[in-house]
Amino acid sequence: QASRRDMGRRPTRLLLLSLSAATAAPLPEPQEPRVWTVFCAECTNNFDYKSIGVYWSHRLSGMPGGVTRLLACDEEQLKRYKGLNLGNTFVHRNYGRIQHKRRVPEGETHPPTGSRAQDSSPSYNKPGSIMEWVMHSEEAKSTDYVLYIDADMLLRKPLDPIAMGVKKGVVVSEHVGYLDTGIRNGLPAQFLPSVEAVQYAGAD
């Protein structure tokens, strides 16, 4: 079942806490954390067969919660695409087809050394799709934890975010070895806005 976000709608998320000593009602039973799995894909045959694998492994693994494919597909692509109903899907704009222009930092006259004035990359769909889903999806409103996996990953067993140490402000990730080199050679300083942020990125 596929869903399209409403471009003109900006939903708000509101949390109401009622703490009243005068009405000491019994505390509700603790609930299981609400977990949702998401993965990125594009509207191509290559991503379609990978998406089927994610849906299949999610069901067989016993992973709690639902699973949603975050599908990067613009209007022209959607006219030709036939795999919209492979599984639960959230469609968003294809950030890989957008030319992104770099803004010159305030007080500077040129972009940072080595940077491009503009570029495009399918990799922009990863942060873009999660942003769109969090802002516009009904699923995200009732979710406590989000598991993001790539389309070529399979789930073998359930993952418990609390047991893994996930909490507000703390993200748990696999170790990506090739990023170690980038951290050591000063790559964070080219993207992060402050010295404190750079030091935090290289702390581990």
Side-chain angles (χ1 to χ4, degrees), residues 50-62 67 154-155:
K50 292 177 180 177
S51 299
I52 292 172
V54 174
Y55 291 130
W56 172 79
S57 71
H58 184 275
R59 183 175 66 252
L60 265 62
S61 69
V67 57
L154 300 177
L155 294 169

Side-chain angles (χ1 to χ4, degrees), residues 8 19-20 37 50 56 60 69 71 81 89 96 98 109 133 177 191-192 194 197:
L19 302 177
S20 173
T37 302
K50 292 177 180 177
W56 172 79
L60 265 62
R69 173 178 57 160
L71 188 66
Y81 184 56
T89 298
I98 299 174
T109 57
W133 182 76
F191 296 93
L192 299 177
S194 66

Side-chain angles (χ1 to χ4, degrees), residues 108-179:
E108 302 288 337
T109 57
H110 300 285
T113 301
S115 66
R116 296 180 178 179
Q118 63 181 23
D119 70 344
S120 62
S121 171
S123 64
Y124 293 145
N125 279 318
K126 183 178 292 187
S129 67
I130 296 174
M131 176 188 70
E132 298 269 4
W133 182 76
V134 168
M135 291 176 61
H136 301 289
S137 169
E138 293 298 319
E139 300 161 348
K141 294 180 181 179
S142 58
T143 297
D144 298 315
Y145 299 92
V146 177
L147 169 65
Y148 172 83
I149 60 175
D150 285 335
D152 58 357
M153 293 180 174
L154 300 177
L155 294 169
R156 298 177 59 192
K157 62 181 181 180
L159 299 176
D160 183 344
I162 296 177
M164 297 175 70
V166 180
K167 58 184 178 181
K168 185 175 182 179
V170 177
V171 175
V172 173
S173 172
E174 64 173 324
H175 177 247
V176 184
Y178 63 81
L179 292 180

Side-chain angles (χ1 to χ4, degrees), residues 24-134:
L27 294 174
E29 291 293 324
Q31 297 181 344
E32 290 293 320
R34 293 166 297 187
V35 185
W36 205 272
T37 302
V38 298
F39 66 99
C40 292
E42 295 187 49
C43 42
T44 65
N45 291 336
N46 178 44
F47 272 106
D48 282 356
Y49 91 84
K50 292 177 180 177
S51 299
I52 292 172
V54 174
Y55 291 130
W56 172 79
S57 71
H58 184 275
R59 183 175 66 252
L60 265 62
S61 69
M63 182 70 192
V67 57
T68 298
R69 173 178 57 160
L70 308 180
L71 188 66
C73 206
D74 61 29
E75 294 295 335
E76 288 302 314
Q77 291 175 300
L78 277 176
K79 292 177 182 178
R80 304 184 301 271
Y81 184 56
K82 302 182 184 300
L84 200 57
N85 296 315
L86 289 177
N88 189 40
T89 298
F90 176 86
V91 181
H92 63 88
R93 75 184 77 180
N94 191 335
Y95 284 88
R97 294 193 165 202
I98 299 174
Q99 281 289 333
H100 301 273
K101 294 184 178 180
R102 178 182 288 274
R103 295 179 181 177
V104 177
E106 186 176 353
E108 302 288 337
T109 57
H110 300 285
T113 301
S115 66
R116 296 180 178 179
Q118 63 181 23
D119 70 344
S120 62
S121 171
S123 64
Y124 293 145
N125 279 318
K126 183 178 292 187
S129 67
I130 296 174
M131 176 188 70
E132 298 269 4
W133 182 76
V134 168

